[in-house]
Amino acid sequence: PNLVNQIAAGEVIERPASVVKELLENSVDAGARRIELLIEKGGTERIRVSDDGCGISAEQLPLAVTSHATSKLPDDDSLFHVGTLGFRGEALASIASVSQMLIRSRTEAGSEGAELRIRGGVLEPVAPCGCPQGTSIEIRNLFFNTPVRRKFLRTPQTERGHIVEAFTRLALANPQIHMVLSNGDKTLYDLPQTERWVDRIEAFFGGEVSDSLIPLDSDDGQIRISGYACDPAVSRGNNRMQYLFLNGRFIRDRSLQHALGEAYRGLLMVGRFPVGFLRVSIPPEMVDVNVHPCKLEVRFTDGGRIYSRVLQTLRHRFLSTDM
Ligand code: ADP
Ligand code: MG
């Protein structure tokens, strides 16, 4: 079974940032209001995610790291799990099979916490421990038992860059959560929860970008588009500032990225880029999330319609005079 988990890990756990993504998503799913991510050496040595979410009971702990054990109900699939569906109940088992993992957790009802150590997929007995409500999962020495993959890790700076990107995506998708990222003893981001999405955008991309953003809002009864795009006349961003969130999850989508570029066509000065932070909400039946193993990419039942909604919403906004 450990070999199976290691193979599964190969599909989805490419590098430390993949671990970070899975752990952060679990904390969000657990209803956390505060999530702290700590990394060392670009996550190759240590990754720890601590949250104040619902916690895992001592009896459930071994199940949480067993393949296909998920506590998440199937009826919230399409909306809630647009980011994780299809890989459900495998992330922790896969990560545990290729690392040294320590989980400490306490539920609200639990009078004390419980801890579980797993080394290369081998579980130690669950032991009691003192800990606050919530869950803390620490990963050490990722890929220690799969030397080929360990060897393919890049420099700590490169791996850290990918982690920061995963953190950015999740923090942008969840402004209601206080999120902290530390690299060793240095705090890189400490983002209090906020009602104003633009605050969080500013925390990552600076005031010059956030000041040039104009709000978007359109709704055709099924497709709702909100968020921000840079005023084409003053766009200051770079070509990486294009973030798309579908039903609350970050996705990558070539077609919608193209729509963003099209909306800016003819409006940008040379050397300036389209910048957009778009939130698209659609009914779950209009999307198939079972395409990409990490669920970064989706397939729309009517991609053309969403494409035109995005293009029209932006274009209309850019051409209106009250910008
Ligand atoms: P999935 O998220 O698809 O259910 P995972 O392997 O990521 O699968 O997690 C397995 C299970 O472990 C989850 O269903 C959940 O019950 C539990 N779990 C994992 N992380 C947390 C967390 N931070 N807080 C509470 N429960 C968690
Ligand atoms: Mg998960």
Side-chain angles (χ1 to χ4, degrees), residues 81-95:
H81 275 123
V82 74
T84 53
L85 181 72
F87 187 48
R88 95 173 344 203
E90 281 179 60
L92 280 190
S94 298
I95 298 164

Side-chain angles (χ1 to χ4, degrees), residues 64-130:
V65 294
T66 304
S67 215
H68 297 292
T70 177
S71 63
K72 294 165 194 175
L73 298 171
D75 62 320
D76 60 10
D77 270 358
S78 4
L79 268 174
F80 198 43
H81 275 123
V82 74
T84 53
L85 181 72
F87 187 48
R88 95 173 344 203
E90 281 179 60
L92 280 190
S94 298
I95 298 164
S97 73
V98 292
S99 69
Q100 293 150 8
M101 185 185 276
L102 169 60
I103 311 182
R104 289 204 164 104
S105 195
R106 184 163 72 79
T107 62
E108 197 178 359
S111 53
E112 60 177 0
E115 67 173 39
L116 170 60
R117 283 171 205 274
I118 310 112
R119 191 186 152 84
V122 181
L123 281 66
E124 287 183 14
V126 173
C129 75

Side-chain angles (χ1 to χ4, degrees), residues 205-217:
F205 304 103
E208 203 171 71
V209 168
S210 68
D211 285 348
S212 68
L213 295 176
I214 49 178
L216 305 166
D217 196 8

Side-chain angles (χ1 to χ4, degrees), residues 86-229:
F87 187 48
R88 95 173 344 203
E90 281 179 60
L92 280 190
S94 298
I95 298 164
S97 73
V98 292
S99 69
Q100 293 150 8
M101 185 185 276
L102 169 60
I103 311 182
R104 289 204 164 104
S105 195
R106 184 163 72 79
T107 62
E108 197 178 359
S111 53
E112 60 177 0
E115 67 173 39
L116 170 60
R117 283 171 205 274
I118 310 112
R119 191 186 152 84
V122 181
L123 281 66
E124 287 183 14
V126 173
C129 75
C131 68
Q133 193 202 315
T135 303
S136 155
I137 301 187
E138 181 173 83
I139 312 296
R140 282 184 183 269
N141 301 322
L142 182 65
F143 301 143
F144 79 101
N145 56 349
T146 52
V148 174
R149 250 184 281 155
R150 178 95 193 162
K151 204 182 102 194
F152 276 102
L153 290 172
R154 312 304 288 270
T155 64
Q157 297 91 297
T158 302
E159 297 300 343
R160 185 180 66 216
H162 288 284
I163 289 174
V164 170
E165 183 58 28
F167 178 86
T168 303
R169 292 169 179 180
L170 200 105
L172 284 175
N174 297 281
Q176 78 286 0
I177 301 178
H178 185 157
M179 297 207 36
V180 182
L181 168 57
S182 307
N183 181 33
D185 49 19
K186 194 161 168 254
T187 304
L188 301 183
Y189 293 101
D190 186 345
L191 313 169
Q193 70 88 219
T194 174
E195 313 264 283
R196 298 178 65 238
W197 199 34
V198 73
D199 291 345
R200 198 146 278 197
I201 296 173
E202 179 171 347
F204 286 108
F205 304 103
E208 203 171 71
V209 168
S210 68
D211 285 348
S212 68
L213 295 176
I214 49 178
L216 305 166
D217 196 8
S218 82
D219 193 344
D220 73 353
Q222 284 198 299
I223 304 170
R224 160 128 209 257
I225 297 166
S226 63
Y228 299 91

Side-chain angles (χ1 to χ4, degrees), residues 2-15 18 87 90-91 93-95 97-98 142-143 146 149 293-294:
N2 196 43
L3 185 60
V4 172
N5 288 337
Q6 283 186 8
I7 292 167
E11 275 181 42
V12 185
I13 307 304
E14 244 186 296
R15 57 181 356 140
S18 336
F87 187 48
E90 281 179 60
S94 298
I95 298 164
S97 73
V98 292
L142 182 65
F143 301 143
T146 52
R149 250 184 281 155
C294 309

